Structures are given as C-alpha cells and as structure tokens.
Amino acid sequence: KGIPIRRETEDGRTIILKRIENGHPLFEIDLNREVAITSSVDDVHPGGSLGLSLTGAGEILGIWEAGDVPLASHQEFEDSEGQSRINQQENASVDDHATHVAGTMIAAGVDSDAQGMAFEAELNAWDSDEEKDEMATAAGNGLGVSNHSYGYITGWRYNNSDNIWEWHGVPSIDKEEDYGFGFYGSDAESWDEIAYNAKKYVIVKAAGNDRNDGPPNQPVMHRVDGDTITGVTRQLDGGQDGYDSVPRRGTAK
C-alpha cells in the first residue's frame, strides 16, 4: 500500500503505524494537542483553596510519547541550578507533542501562563515503542505515575493534507462502527496486568475525545487503507448516543 511508518501532520501531530490487525493497519496518534490545564490543579498548589501547597518537589513522573522531548533545555524545564528536570531514557526521534505534554506536567511557570501541574517535579521520558516492557520495568523500579497522551486512531479522522475524511474501522467486522470503540483487547489487558503487578503505579491515559467526528453529509467518499470507498454510511464517532467513544487501551481498568 505504500503507507509510511511515521509521518507528521500539518497540524503538528505525529502518526505512527504500529501493526497490522485483522488485515488493516493500526495507527497511533498523539491526543493532547488541544488540552490545557483544565482540572483545577491550582487548588492544590501553594496558595490554593485546599491548603496543600503541592509543587511536585522530590517526585519523579514518567512520560511516554511519540518521541523525545526536543526542548528539554527550555527555561520551563530547568531547576534552580539551571539543570534540566527532564531525564531522557532513550535516544528517540524528537517530537514537539512530547514537549507540549511535558509542559502540561512539569513546566516551572517562568511564564505564569505556562505553569504545569507538578511544576517542581522531575520527568523521566520514553518514546512509545516497547512501552509495555518499559512501563513494567519502571514501575518495578518505583515509578509512581506515568502519562500517555496518545492512542490508536479509531473511527473517523480528517486528513488535512488531502482534505478528506478517512474511516479507520474494519468493514469485515462492522460496516457502520469502528469496533475499536469499547474494545478490550491485548493492549488494554497488558496495561491492566502491569498495574495489577505494581500496586502503587498509576497509569494516566488520554481518552481521545472521539465524539461526533465524521463527515457532515453521508454517504460520502472516504478512504480506508488508501482505498476509495463510496456510498457507505458510517456512524459518527461515539455512536448514536455519543457515549461509545473510548477506544482500545482507554478501556483498561
């Protein structure tokens, strides 16, 4: 099919071909692009309403992303002695999204608008290749929390480069809905196994916000695996009620 293994989108996201499943390619994409700090963490910061004065000092968090944090030397990631608080765990391709998520997690707040949730914590950073083995090892070594703002492309996705909606379901399994929504497969099972074996390890996973995505008028022309298909009506992401919207690893307990 000539499908690239890794590509960058026009809106700055990274798409990686992870494997072939049921005869169709399964792609991973970063999911945190539009997310800011919306969880009221200021309430636990110094001066916050809960009186906890939490800063993340002395804590090490984990991050798995599409690649390395390319701006690990950024002013928002330095400690009081000018040393980076990001510890790259492997030599991977750099990824802008990794910097974005790292900032959400630990940005110091030199620019007050950029302050992260745990703004004095350190961050151990891996890429998402071989994640399961790496997560299990890190948890066994005492890692308490890790963040994973990526997931498999499920259902509809608008291809900005070609200006066309693409549907990533498998018609031989379900012609109207991508079976990946709500599907508890081997990926979710392996994450649950890791968490079960490491009782104090918390895995934080992006849900994906796959709701009501899809072409406004159907049936339309769209592409599956590079092929053009016409005249087939698919459900918008999330299904009829909008709640069947969490894909694959997001179903892990």
Side-chain angles (χ1 to χ4, degrees):
K1 295 289 186 178
I3 299 172
I5 293 176
R6 181 186 181 99
R7 66 184 187 272
E8 307 295 326
T9 67
E10 289 187 348
D11 58 351
R13 303 170 82 180
T14 301
I15 294 177
I16 301 171
L17 176 63
K18 298 297 286 189
R19 65 176 182 267
I20 303 298
E21 185 172 283
N22 296 305
H24 289 255
L26 193 60
F27 297 97
E28 194 171 79
I29 191 170
D30 42 57
L31 299 174
N32 195 48
R33 187 78 182 172
E34 294 83 15
V35 178
I37 301 175
T38 57
S39 54
S40 300
V41 291
D42 54 325
D43 290 337
V44 303
H45 285 168
S49 62
L50 297 179
L52 297 175
S53 297
L54 301 180
T55 67
E59 299 294 329
I60 298 179
L61 311 179
I63 180 175
W64 272 262
E65 271 292 328
D68 279 348
V69 180
L71 293 178
S73 61
H74 193 282
Q75 65 177 11
E76 295 292 352
F77 299 141
E78 292 181 348
D79 61 19
S80 59
E81 298 179 354
Q83 301 297 312
S84 177
R85 291 180 289 120
I86 294 181
N87 310 305
Q88 303 287 3
Q89 301 300 303
E90 52 194 336
N91 185 20
S93 301
V94 297
D95 183 70
D96 288 342
H97 184 261
T99 294
H100 171 74
V101 179
T104 302
M105 296 175 71
I106 69 161
V110 176
D111 179 344
S112 59
D113 291 334
Q115 188 176 63
M117 297 184 180
F119 53 88
E120 291 186 351
E122 292 187 35
L123 189 64
N124 288 351
W126 292 262
D127 74 2
S128 59
D129 289 340
E130 310 297 334
E131 62 181 4
K132 289 177 282 191
D133 290 341
E134 294 165 350
M135 290 164 65
T137 299
N141 291 333
L143 183 67
V145 180
S146 65
N147 188 82
H148 308 257
S149 291
Y150 54 87
Y152 293 115
I153 299 177
T154 310
W156 292 101
R157 178 183 174 273
Y158 189 72
N159 184 329
N160 290 292
S161 299
D162 297 336
N163 296 316
I164 192 171
W165 282 97
E166 296 176 339
W167 191 71
H168 287 258
V170 180
S172 62
I173 296 178
D174 193 322
K175 294 181 179 180
E176 297 183 358
E177 180 188 25
D178 190 331
Y179 79 94
F181 289 118
F183 179 67
Y184 186 87
S186 59
D187 295 297
E189 180 184 21
S190 64
W191 281 25
D192 276 340
E193 184 177 12
I194 292 169
Y196 179 83
N197 290 328
K199 304 298 186 185
K200 297 183 178 181
Y201 176 45
V202 177
I203 304 168
V204 181
K205 169 73 174 66
N209 299 316
D210 286 312
R211 184 175 290 111
N212 295 324
D213 295 335
N217 299 306
Q218 293 197 56
V220 299
M221 181 177 68
H222 56 273
R223 304 193 316 182
V224 179
D225 303 351
D227 297 328
T228 298
I229 298 178
T230 60
V232 180
T233 300
R234 318 281 190 195
Q235 289 186 13
L236 299 181
D237 291 351
Q240 298 298 327
D241 59 10
Y243 289 104
D244 193 7
S245 58
V246 178
R248 297 179 177 272
R249 278 174 300 206
T251 66
K253 293 178 286 297

